[in-house]
């Protein structure tokens, strides 16, 4: 949905000689690169919580001198980051939520059930936040069940949580395969081996990653600050992959609309085309929403 994101961001650049964009989720840098290539004279603040992604942003900064500012930060700190940089008004802010394929492919990060790695799952492995293994070792059974049910939409959440707690009494769950084994053992007998579609551990891994990184709270915090960070006429584009994330975005956009702070540019969320889904099956649940800060916002808040 790169083209749609750019089409929605580009008009906000019209009124600035040097339009400035914030890519809150730099990842592999596809969106930042597209902004630099397609919006003349643009500059990008390239932000990511993952130091590996920031290293890629630093490489892009060498390719585009004076046009890219890499920042290692969680996007929940958006307002402070912009204040520290003192770079002036922002034309647009983009969020492409979730994980990059590079993070999923790196088994050592613990995000994927397919590879063997420690159960870390932190976007920022240099932070002192608890890992997924620590969370599973310390949370109560009910808390684990709630996480898996709420963030993973997993109907077997209670059985999985019970199995995790049973196993951790014998020995802590430390690796991705420890968790996969617990999830498989918790499958109801009649579901084993015949549940088509996704792997039985998919939803549990997703739920834990969301809990470890407090994804929904971070997004809520960031969006609350984002509207004051763009200039009047500036745009905010969010691509989400999870119903909980999309609810946060929808709710925030509705709040801005009611308060006269921004208008929604996407009456219904945009979704990927069949061609995009065929090329990248992970994009099938993507939803894109965009909003524009009200042009007389300064007058309203004065
Ligand atoms: C789907 S990828 C972005 C892909 C990117 N648009 C591209 O074109 O390559 C999501 C990225 O967002 C980062 N991320 C997720 N939540 C974050 C947060 N709260 N703060 C900062 N970065 C975050 C992840 O580390 C990951 O690198």
């Amino acid at each position: 949905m790169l083209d749609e994101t750019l089409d929605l961001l580009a008009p906000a650049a019209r009124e600035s000689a040097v339009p400035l964009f914030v890519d809150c989720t730099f990842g592999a840098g596809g969106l930042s690169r597209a902004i630099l290539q397609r919006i003349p004279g643009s500059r990008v603040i390239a932000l990511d919580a993952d130091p590996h992604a920031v290293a890629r942003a630093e490489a892009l900064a060498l390719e585009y001198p004076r046009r890219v500012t890499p920042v290692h930060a969680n996007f929940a700190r958006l307002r402070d980051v912009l204040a520290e940089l003192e770079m002036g008004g922002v034309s647009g802010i983009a969020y492409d939520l979730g994980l990059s394929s590079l993070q999923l492919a790196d088994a050592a990060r613990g995000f994927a059930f397919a590879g063997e790695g420690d159960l870390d799952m932190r976007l920022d492995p240099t932070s002192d936040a608890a890992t997924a293994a620590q969370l599973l070792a310390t949370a109560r059974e009910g808390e684990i069940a709630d996480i898996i049910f709420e963030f993973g939409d997993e109907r077997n959440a209670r059985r999985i949580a019970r199995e995790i707690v049973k196993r951790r009494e014998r020995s802590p769950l430390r690796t991705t395969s420890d968790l996969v084994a617990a999830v498989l053992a918790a499958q109801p007998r009649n579901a084993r081996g015949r549940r088509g579609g996704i792997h039985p551990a998919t939803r549990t891994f997703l739920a834990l990653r969301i809990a470890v990184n407090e994804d929904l709270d971070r997004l809520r915090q960031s969006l609350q600050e984002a509207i004051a960070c763009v200039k009047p006429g500036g745009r905010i584009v969010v691509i989400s992959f999870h119903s909980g994330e999309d609810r946060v975005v929808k709710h925030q956009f509705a709040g801005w609309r009611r308060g006269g702070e921004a208008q929604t540019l996407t009456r219904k969320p945009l979704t990927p085309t069949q061609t995009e889904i065929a090329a990248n099956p992970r994009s099938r649940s993507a939803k894109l929403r965009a909003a524009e800060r009200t042009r007389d916002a300064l007058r309203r808040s004065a």
Side-chain angles (χ1 to χ4, degrees):
M1 305 182 90
L2 190 72
D3 286 338
E4 288 86 346
T5 306
L6 271 170
D7 289 348
L8 283 157
L9 286 176
R14 275 191 215 124
E15 287 153 38
S16 308
V18 185
L20 177 63
F21 291 90
V22 186
D23 181 352
C24 276
T25 51
F26 181 81
L31 175 63
S32 286
R33 181 180 288 278
I35 292 173
L36 294 165
Q37 286 173 346
R38 296 205 227 155
I39 304 182
S42 58
R43 293 192 179 182
V44 175
I45 297 171
L47 194 143
D48 206 292
D50 184 338
H52 299 287
V54 180
R56 289 189 287 274
E58 279 158 6
L60 188 69
L62 295 178
E63 254 184 80
Y64 290 89
R66 291 179 301 281
R67 293 183 65 193
V68 181
T69 306
V71 182
H72 180 215
N74 196 293
F75 58 54
R77 289 194 55 243
L78 179 66
R79 190 175 45 193
D80 289 347
V81 166
L82 292 178
E84 284 157 20
L85 290 173
E86 295 180 5
M87 287 178 74
V90 170
S91 296
I93 302 178
Y95 300 81
D96 178 10
L97 300 169
L99 296 179
S100 69
S101 30
L102 295 165
Q103 287 166 323
L104 275 169
D106 183 354
R109 306 292 302 270
F111 290 120
F113 51 80
E116 172 73 6
D118 285 345
L119 272 178
D120 187 324
M121 295 200 189
R122 291 170 301 170
L123 290 175
D124 180 2
T126 66
S127 82
D128 51 14
T131 63
Q134 287 166 330
L135 190 155
L136 291 180
T138 53
R140 282 181 289 108
E141 182 180 323
E143 284 168 346
I144 298 176
D146 287 348
I147 287 171
I148 299 175
F149 181 72
E150 265 180 47
F151 299 150
D153 258 337
E154 169 60 68
R155 58 173 190 242
N156 286 326
R158 306 236 154 261
R159 294 173 65 104
I160 295 170
R162 202 173 312 133
E163 186 63 34
I164 288 170
V165 169
K166 194 171 102 191
R167 287 175 176 236
R168 81 180 179 192
E169 279 160 12
R170 292 199 299 268
S171 127
L173 283 80
R174 285 187 297 101
T175 65
T176 47
S177 43
D178 290 342
L179 181 57
V180 170
V183 174
L184 291 179
Q187 296 302 296
R189 256 179 215 298
N190 58 5
R192 280 187 208 168
R194 66 174 177 82
R195 207 169 149 194
I198 63 171
H199 186 283
T202 308
R203 295 173 189 280
T204 302
F205 272 71
L206 168 71
L208 274 177
R209 188 256 292 170
I210 290 178
V212 164
N213 295 292
E214 302 177 285
D215 281 345
L216 302 185
D217 285 344
R218 301 299 180 113
L219 177 61
R220 209 172 281 122
Q221 243 171 301
S222 190
L223 284 177
Q224 273 166 10
E225 299 186 348
I227 197 65
C229 294
V230 289
K231 302 195 276 195
R235 293 184 166 196
I236 296 170
V237 179
V238 191
I239 303 176
S240 63
F241 293 86
H242 180 265
S243 56
E245 286 170 347
D246 186 53
R247 260 197 305 278
V248 169
V249 182
K250 202 169 133 181
H251 186 256
Q252 182 60 76
F253 279 24
W256 290 338
R257 227 172 25 242
R258 277 197 305 275
E261 288 164 282
Q263 55 162 318
T264 304
L265 301 170
T266 43
R267 203 174 56 80
K268 281 196 173 157
L270 307 184
T271 50
T273 60
Q274 286 309 322
T275 322
E276 273 178 294
I277 297 174
N280 174 15
R282 283 207 305 126
S283 72
R284 65 184 175 273
S285 49
K287 286 192 172 151
L288 183 156
R289 294 184 190 268
E292 181 180 279
R293 183 170 172 187
T294 312
R295 286 186 178 273
D296 62 355
L298 286 179
R299 203 153 23 88
R300 277 168 197 266
S301 59

